[in-house]
Amino acid sequence: MKKHNFSAGPCVLPQEVLLKASEAVMDFNNSGLSLIEISHRSKDFVEVMDKARSLALELLDLEGKGYQALFLQGGASLQFLMAAYNLLEKKAGYLNTGTWSSKAIKEAKMFGEIIEVGSSKDENFNYIPKGYSVPDGLDYLHLTSNNTIFGTQIKKFPKTEAPLVCDMSSDIFSRQLDFSQFDLIYAGAQKNMGPAGATLVVVKEEILGKVTRQIPSMLDYQVHISKESMFNTPPVFAVYTSMLTLEWLKAKGGIAAIEEINDKKAQLVYSEIDLNPMFEGFAQKEDRSNMNATFNLVDEKLKESFDAMVKEAGINGINGHRSVGGYRASMYNALSLESVGVLVDVMSELERKA
Ligand SMILES: *Cc1c(COP(=O)(O)O)cnc(C)c1O
């Protein structure tokens, strides 16, 4: 039986995407060859890369606005340093909203002065800092739109003169935003797009080429742009599968349509957390993530029976991250409302039994 997969990443992907991807591994476009045994320079694969790049821009409504989409390697973690390598000349601002922001800060410090404009570390990152001020003269301001581990999400982005850099690994393509307010967006594929191995980078070209340091070719956005994301052998399977997911999303009606479903899923799970006395939410209500809902049992002694019920219902991947404990239900685009319904039923069953 197919499980209800609430894993935080890698995570659930649409069934039809998995099917098409597995077919392409055996026989790609009726070529008699596997997707992963053909040249990445072949016409068939170049078309895949072009399609993936243009779909990303189309879905984000960034076509014709001076942006380039790239599929790189090294995960979002490489972007922590690559962003700084390419953009940080003197000083940059970072909003510290969790583990991933902290890691981004650590890497960026090797390239210049880092100003933490705000932090929610004092409360184990259960909220998004607000009302912080952004100093003048920053090379950029770095944000993490969704904090996968703590289950918080930025709902309102700051207006600032500084270019905005945003790690959107765990909520890209999940909600409508004015994406043109960002100058650099990056996201590891494995949370809303495809398998691990590809990282989407969307960059406004005009912000590049301003730092004085020399940049190694593999870390230089401009090199990857000039080579149309084919500077070296790209992760063909990850790019192809991401392209399939983006096609799936477009066919569903794009981000606007998926956002409606994501809102329903989040409402369903959070209303259960709030109404059911067995559970309490971790993140502050106004900052709750629509992608990762973090919650705890009020009475830890019920853990064993709740875990058994969860398993019995075919639910996978809701254990919280070790730095938060408790539970985390990740509800990425491909997770159905029905799966969330199954989880909520188990939660209310616990209340009935107790
Ligand atoms: C998972 C995650 C990362 C790390 O991604 P990798 O691709 O494993 O390097 C970074 N930022 C956020 C917000 C994430 O959720």
Side-chain angles (χ1 to χ4, degrees):
M1 188 190 82
K2 184 71 189 166
K3 298 269 171 70
H4 301 285
N5 189 3
F6 289 84
S7 177
C11 65
V12 60
L13 288 172
Q15 281 296 298
E16 61 185 82
V17 167
L18 295 179
L19 189 66
K20 281 186 195 160
S22 56
E23 281 167 7
V25 169
M26 294 315 296
D27 184 0
F28 181 46
N29 288 354
N30 296 316
S31 61
L33 294 163
S34 166
L35 166 72
I36 57 176
E37 64 179 4
I38 59 167
S39 167
H40 59 289
R41 309 272 176 211
S42 64
K43 180 175 154 292
D44 279 11
F45 187 76
V46 171
E47 275 175 15
V48 168
M49 180 58 96
D50 290 348
K51 187 87 194 283
R53 296 176 69 206
S54 66
L55 270 171
L57 292 183
E58 183 187 336
L59 287 162
L60 299 172
D61 195 21
L62 289 176
E63 276 176 318
K65 295 180 181 170
Y67 288 81
Q68 292 277 348
L70 302 167
F71 283 87
L72 306 180
Q73 301 188 59
S77 299
L78 185 63
Q79 294 309 308
F80 296 161
L81 68 104
M82 199 162 157
Y85 222 131
N86 283 262
L87 302 176
L88 180 48
E89 183 78 9
K90 289 206 171 70
K91 60 180 180 192
Y94 278 68
L95 185 64
N96 190 0
T97 52
T99 311
W100 299 117
S101 322
S102 306
K103 289 187 175 183
I105 290 168
K106 176 172 179 242
E107 299 304 309
K109 277 185 174 161
M110 290 182 227
F111 301 93
E113 183 192 345
I114 299 304
I115 299 165
E116 243 183 64
V117 296
S119 169
S120 47
K121 196 168 193 235
D122 55 346
E123 298 285 346
N124 197 22
F125 300 114
N126 74 352
Y127 70 102
I128 300 287
K130 292 163 205 89
Y132 52 87
S133 59
V134 180
D136 289 338
L138 297 180
D139 293 324
Y140 61 87
L141 175 65
H142 181 284
L143 307 165
T144 310
S145 55
N146 184 71
N147 300 285
T148 327
I149 291 173
F150 301 94
T152 60
Q153 189 174 36
I154 299 180
K155 307 291 177 184
K156 199 162 176 278
F157 291 87
K159 296 247 174 305
T160 148
E161 297 286 282
L164 272 188
V165 174
C166 194
D167 175 0
M168 290 195 191
S169 291
S170 52
D171 70 350
I172 193 158
F173 302 119
S174 74
R175 57 170 169 165
Q176 288 177 287
L177 290 173
D178 172 11
F179 292 98
S180 71
Q181 69 190 300
F182 304 102
D183 299 85
L184 173 67
I185 297 168
Y186 60 86
Q190 70 274 18
K191 289 173 190 131
N192 237 343
M193 232 177 331
T199 312
L200 175 64
V201 170
V202 175
V203 59
K204 195 168 196 177
E205 269 191 277
E206 68 180 31
I207 68 164
L208 299 174
K210 294 185 179 166
V211 289
T212 49
R213 74 172 61 85
Q214 285 206 315
I215 305 174
S217 309
M218 264 302 272
L219 299 180
D220 187 340
Y221 293 126
Q222 286 183 314
V223 168
H224 290 286
I225 290 169
S226 72
K227 299 294 179 186
E228 297 177 329
S229 207
M230 291 268 208
F231 171 65
N232 71 325
T233 318
V236 292
F237 181 73
V239 173
Y240 180 68
T241 310
S242 298
M243 181 204 80
L244 293 177
T245 311
L246 297 178
E247 282 180 334
W248 168 85
L249 180 56
K250 185 179 169 184
K252 276 187 100 69
I255 296 178
I258 207 79
E259 180 178 32
E260 240 176 80
I261 304 170
N262 288 335
D263 283 347
K264 284 197 187 121
K265 292 187 295 190
Q267 270 164 23
L268 188 59
V269 81
Y270 284 121
S271 65
E272 182 64 25
I273 290 170
D274 290 339
L275 292 172
N276 188 328
M278 305 283 114
F279 297 97
E280 60 190 356
F282 173 77
Q284 285 193 7
K285 285 188 187 177
E286 62 188 16
D287 302 322
R288 282 172 165 176
S289 163
N290 272 12
M291 294 283 101
N292 315 92
T294 44
F295 56 98
N296 291 75
L297 275 167
V298 172
D299 180 0
E300 270 297 311
K301 289 201 289 294
L302 293 175
K303 181 171 165 48
E304 217 172 292
S305 44
F306 182 60
D307 287 354
M309 289 160 65
V310 161
K311 194 167 175 218
E312 175 67 26
I315 291 168
N316 170 68
I318 66 159
N319 279 337
H321 189 269
R322 60 189 174 279
S323 52
V324 182
Y327 298 94
R328 170 175 51 170
S330 297
M331 303 173 286
Y332 298 113
N333 285 353
L335 187 86
S336 67
L337 184 59
E338 183 218 333
S339 287
V340 179
V342 170
L343 173 64
V344 165
D345 285 347
V346 172
M347 291 167 76
S348 49
E349 200 186 322
L350 184 77
E351 185 190 357
R352 271 197 307 277
K353 277 188 173 173

